Amino acid sequence: MSVHDRSSHPLDYPIWTALTTTHQALAEGDARARRYPTEITPFAAMADMSPESFAVLAGLMSSQDIAVLFTPDPVNPPAEFRIALADTGEQMIGTPVETPANGVDIVTLGVDDVPAMVELTELTKPGPFSARTHELGTFLGIRVDGQLVAMAGERMKPAQYTEITAVCVHPSHRGRGYGQMLLSAISRQIVSRGEIPFLHVFTNNHSAIALYRRQGMEIRRRLHVTVLKKQD
């Protein structure tokens, strides 16, 4: 199926939609395949699953690169690729409930915070996070005694939607509501701009899905998450 099918929803192909709308200026590639710069995120997308589109994607990648695809249907790549991961994720949408910060200081994170952000995401594994991921949108954090212990931010911006990403809390600081506070704060910023919050979570991450449901978000649909590498 082509992403140019007029009946498809912007979030059915969120990466392609983002790279052809709000994040068009960041896109590498052409009308058949596009990706973000690798130092921002490994996300990529194609106009369709034709050999020609896969060939353009392959031309964008080095042998070390990965391409992460979010698609409604499973991906069956040609022989020049191998599948490093094939999983499913739930796409959830809605405005999380208001959660007061209760005296906790929520700060906006910037380039000087990147080492601490990378360290926290490497520890908690919320998904791909690179040195320039923070350039995609606002990232908020909570520090305790100078240490970054929780964060959340904005990633893909397909049309009028904004994806919440990197919601993570240091293991020794969990159970204090930091995740809910940040989810609430980042979603308020998104809604204030007239945009609609959404996020992605692996299907088997039942605790996170339950948390987001409690916060008032709903599953919109299931997507296939495919990580491709070029054959050596």
Side-chain angles (χ1 to χ4, degrees):
M1 180 178 170
S2 168
V3 297
H4 301 304
D5 181 349
R6 299 282 180 202
S7 65
S8 69
H9 188 282
L11 293 185
D12 288 347
Y13 299 88
I15 300 173
W16 182 265
T17 304
L19 288 171
T20 54
T21 59
T22 314
H23 285 160
Q24 187 170 356
L26 294 172
E28 299 175 351
D30 61 20
R32 286 203 169 275
R34 296 183 175 216
R35 73 169 186 176
Y36 284 94
T38 54
E39 62 271 25
I40 292 181
T41 183
F43 288 173
M46 295 177 294
D48 54 35
M49 295 292 165
S50 67
E52 294 82 5
S53 294
F54 274 110
V56 173
L57 179 61
L60 293 171
M61 297 170 63
S62 75
S63 57
Q64 285 78 43
D65 288 344
I66 61 170
V68 180
L69 280 58
F70 287 10
T71 55
D73 303 304
V75 175
N76 296 301
E80 70 241 58
F81 291 97
R82 64 180 176 88
I83 295 177
L85 173 79
D87 209 331
T88 61
E90 307 303 323
Q91 185 180 79
M92 303 186 70
I93 192 166
T95 303
V97 296
E98 188 94 10
T99 303
N102 291 334
V104 174
D105 191 20
I106 294 177
V107 297
T108 300
L109 302 173
V111 64
D112 293 342
D113 301 296
V114 167
M117 296 163 83
V118 170
E119 183 180 340
L120 182 60
T121 54
E122 285 179 350
L123 177 68
T124 56
K125 304 277 189 278
F129 191 90
S130 305
R132 291 180 55 201
T133 303
H134 70 283
E135 295 178 19
L136 294 177
T138 302
F139 279 79
L140 302 178
I142 295 171
R143 293 185 177 276
V144 174
D145 298 327
Q147 179 190 12
L148 183 67
V149 299
M151 63 181 265
E154 302 170 359
R155 187 168 56 185
M156 286 188 284
K157 295 177 183 286
Q160 73 271 37
Y161 300 87
T162 294
E163 181 195 28
I164 298 172
T165 188
V167 181
C168 54
V169 180
H170 191 287
S172 61
H173 292 268
R174 288 179 182 158
R176 305 178 192 186
Y178 290 164
Q180 292 96 309
M181 292 175 198
L182 289 169
L183 200 62
S184 174
I186 205 80
S187 65
R188 281 201 304 276
Q189 293 203 11
I190 293 168
V191 171
S192 72
R193 299 194 301 262
E195 299 158 10
I196 301 166
F198 77 108
L199 53 78
H200 295 103
V201 56
F202 278 114
T203 302
N204 62 5
N205 192 348
H206 304 295
S207 59
I209 292 170
L211 167 66
Y212 297 138
R213 280 189 186 278
R214 287 198 301 273
Q215 295 298 300
M217 302 188 81
E218 298 177 352
I219 292 175
R220 179 185 166 267
R221 69 163 302 150
R222 181 167 292 181
L223 290 174
H224 290 267
V225 182
T226 310
V227 179
L228 298 179
K229 290 199 76 169
K230 290 169 75 170
Q231 291 283 13
D232 299 329

